[in-house]
Amino acid sequence: MSADGDIAVARRVLRVEAEALMDMAAGLDDSFARAVKALAGITGRVVVTGMGKSGHIARKIAATLASTGTPALWVHPGEASHGDLGMIARDDAVIALSNSGDTAELCDIVAYAKRFRIPLIGITRRTHSSLAEQSDVALILPQSPEACPLGLAPTTSTTLMLSLGDALAVALLERRGFSAADFKVFHPGGQLGRQLLRVTEMMHTGAELPLAPLDIKVSEAILVMTAKRFGCVGLTGADGRLAGIITDGDLRRHMNPDLLSLPAQTVMTSDPKTIRLTTLAGEALGIMNALAITSLFITDDGRPVGIIHIHDCLRAGVA
């Protein structure tokens, strides 16, 4: 097959799966809301299970739930029949995935859930399957064709399961008010964890702050700038609040023979851009890039409590 032929196949697969997703979105009904309510109401964990390709999708759904504030784990249905049913507690809920709805390996875990009245959410394509009939809430996938030309390999069906799992996870996330701060707790590593660092974790404080009284002269302000090495100095009023900031650029713009003897406040930039203690490092970096500046003061009630330099973000791997 030629390269053009390969691309045509890829486009056909993506269109088939995209259309199936749109059909599923259009067909969502009260059963989805009931599933979310059932999962939000438990005090234990969400146990996700499935066999074969559905099992691979179930494992990913469990990981997504766990990382977004819903404690979850994956249980292999075959292993469940040989002791791993003990991993499922009575305050848990079960999400079982099966395209046909009649996967034999799920029988024991379904029976266990029914026996101990553990909420069972079934995800299947067949309304009249054993899984759908045994579930407390059955989420029925649309009758969309598999993208495989033979109609055999799980393709569209697994995409639908995965997306429905994402929808459940995000609905639970929003219902719980899960925040970026909560997200960071579960994602401390990698690029995502670095983006979720707060400025408080890397800001300079105390004696490192380039601060001076509002009533000093430019010559004195330059000495502070040189000593602190942030390329700026913040000027504070009698109340301790940040009144303005002087940068290298401000000095260049006001360059004249009398510059050093001028009151510092005559060359400062009033009402400078500042950030809060709760600001994420990624957001701070974005502000500095957008404004073409290299430092930001962190204030609390208008009073400078820290400063962050663009190099701090880069050293921490925030990009």
Side-chain angles (χ1 to χ4, degrees), residues 134-148:
Q134 292 295 320
S135 296
D136 296 296
V137 182
L139 300 178
I140 307 300
L141 304 176
Q143 295 295 318
S144 303
E146 299 286 7
C148 165

Side-chain angles (χ1 to χ4, degrees), residues 37-292:
K37 182 178 180 181
L39 295 173
I42 64 170
T43 57
R45 301 160 302 174
V46 177
V47 177
V48 194
T49 188
M51 193 68 192
K53 299 299 185 293
S54 296
H56 295 306
I57 299 301
R59 187 191 292 268
K60 192 275 178 184
I61 291 173
T64 299
L65 287 166
S67 71
T68 53
T70 300
L73 74 156
W74 177 75
V75 172
H76 190 292
E79 296 295 338
S81 299
H82 296 275
D84 281 2
L85 283 174
M87 299 172 70
I88 308 172
R90 299 192 186 191
D91 55 355
D92 292 342
V94 172
I95 299 177
L97 282 64
S98 170
N99 187 41
S100 69
D102 291 312
T103 303
E105 289 87 351
L106 288 175
C107 290
D108 288 337
I109 203 167
V110 168
Y112 185 85
K114 300 303 292 182
R115 176 185 177 187
F116 294 106
R117 299 183 179 180
I118 297 168
L120 175 63
I121 313 298
I123 298 179
T124 180
R125 186 178 291 198
R126 294 178 54 214
T127 305
H128 300 295
S129 62
S130 59
L131 176 60
E133 292 173 353
Q134 292 295 320
S135 296
D136 296 296
V137 182
L139 300 178
I140 307 300
L141 304 176
Q143 295 295 318
S144 303
E146 299 286 7
C148 165
L150 302 176
L152 299 174
T155 46
T156 304
S157 58
T158 48
T159 297
L160 292 171
M161 288 179 179
L162 181 63
S163 299
L164 193 55
D166 287 343
L168 288 169
V170 173
L172 288 165
L173 176 155
E174 294 195 9
R175 178 183 278 250
R176 292 192 170 97
F178 194 74
S179 67
D182 299 319
F183 204 81
K184 181 181 181 300
V185 172
F186 302 130
H187 300 78
Q191 184 63 34
L192 182 57
R194 292 190 288 272
Q195 288 286 350
L196 293 172
L197 283 172
R198 293 197 183 277
V199 292
T200 50
E201 298 177 65
M202 60 178 68
M203 71 181 186
H204 303 267
T205 61
E208 292 183 275
L209 288 175
L211 296 174
L214 185 60
D215 57 0
I216 66 169
K217 294 186 181 300
V218 170
S219 58
E220 297 171 278
I222 291 175
L223 290 176
V224 176
M225 289 176 61
T226 304
K228 303 299 182 178
R229 298 184 179 181
F230 285 98
C232 67
V233 58
L235 301 181
T236 56
D239 59 1
R241 287 184 168 84
L242 188 67
I245 184 173
I246 298 176
T247 66
D248 293 330
D250 292 316
L251 295 175
R252 287 192 296 271
R253 283 187 291 272
H254 291 86
M255 186 64 67
N256 67 72
D258 300 321
L259 176 62
L260 295 180
S261 61
L262 291 176
Q265 57 187 301
T266 63
V267 302
M268 75 179 185
T269 297
S270 300
D271 193 26
K273 180 65 179 178
T274 62
I275 53 177
R276 299 170 297 170
L277 288 164
T278 55
T279 302
L280 296 176
E283 181 184 353
L285 180 60
I287 292 171
M288 286 187 277
N289 283 331
L291 298 179

